[in-house]
Amino acid sequence: MGKVIAIANQKGGVGKTTTAINLSSSLAFAEAKVLLVDMDPQGNASSGIGFDTSEKGYTSLYEVLIGDAEAEDAVIDTKVENLSLLPSNINLTAAEVELVTTLSRETRLKKSLEKLREEYQVIIIDCPPSLGLLTVNALTAADSVLIPLQCEYYAMEGLGQLLNTIRLIRESLNENLSLEGILLTMYDPRNNLSKEVLNQVEEYFSESIFKTIVPRNVRLSEAPSYGMSIIEYDVKSRGAASYIELAKEILPKLS
Ligand code: ADP
Ligand code: MG
């Protein structure tokens, strides 16, 4: 049975999608069989790994969640060996509205992924920047949650709310949900603020922080516009090294 890891933080721009794409690719590079699930209507994980979301006639996560298609039929191969994608696009916005009135609306994704868990060693879910029904579906389907925190002012703002949501999900929908870890992103050693955030987060969450800290690295921000992971785009970059290191921390914890 594959492990399902949700990458969540209701703040936008903290590195969720960058982490989803590059952690998935690094795990696939290490020969794990990986499925990347794009749970954000913006479709950035889909386009960032090279899928053209404006293409016509493909099945996306939207059709899967509203019950018009099976997840297995929506999964496509990516250019990266061992890495498959369950793509999304702007239609997913409607799912959030349409699901509100349906039965078992919080467990739609979990049900959809059941068969796929047999096939993949790890399933990575890229969450949208909100704590709405899509993120609740992701956290309900997940075994663990990885929280990226950007090393800047107010890094920890909203973290309490996220941890509270995780607690509520544990109490009602998914008692086994664990914290995979907190990942510091966009770290800049020349910036005193980055160091301050690091110290502060360490003080509160020492045990839960990944040893890997993702530096601010321009190659990481360039790669998605070429539809490439950092492994394909510039494997020698510091950004690539950091996500390979993160994959090494996570690999031993896969069953
Ligand atoms: P989120 O999915 O949380 O909204 P993204 O992963 O899309 O965040 O990142 C927000 C922006 O920051 C994007 O333009 C991305 O390319 C850039 N970015 C993310 N991580 C890094 C990094 N380590 N170094 C430089 N730029 C980064
Ligand atoms: Mg994103």
Side-chain angles (χ1 to χ4, degrees), residues 32-144:
K33 202 159 178 257
V34 187
L35 173 65
L36 171 60
V37 176
D38 190 351
M39 197 73 181
D40 186 346
Q42 294 181 78
N44 293 151
S46 304
S47 59
I49 199 69
F51 179 74
D52 177 8
T53 57
S54 67
E55 200 177 284
K56 295 252 166 352
Y58 66 94
T59 306
S60 72
L61 186 58
Y62 166 72
E63 287 79 19
V64 173
L65 289 180
I66 63 162
D68 278 357
E70 297 292 328
E72 301 82 87
D73 299 325
V75 170
I76 51 171
D77 289 338
T78 69
K79 298 180 269 71
V80 179
E81 204 179 336
N82 300 320
L83 177 60
S84 305
L85 170 74
L86 213 170
S88 281
N89 53 45
I90 196 70
N91 291 345
L92 192 59
T93 315
E96 187 130 39
V97 182
E98 288 168 39
L99 284 182
V100 168
T101 54
T102 62
L103 217 59
S104 61
R105 57 187 179 183
E106 295 94 354
T107 52
R108 288 289 171 127
L109 183 68
K110 184 186 174 76
K111 293 250 159 61
S112 304
L113 294 181
E114 253 161 31
K115 270 194 212 152
L116 289 169
R117 286 185 72 148
E118 309 287 331
E119 251 182 80
Y120 293 91
Q121 229 171 319
V122 56
I123 299 179
I124 304 276
I125 309 173
D126 183 30
C127 290
S130 80
L131 291 174
L133 200 44
L134 292 172
T135 296
V136 168
N137 261 273
L139 294 177
T140 303
D143 296 304
S144 66

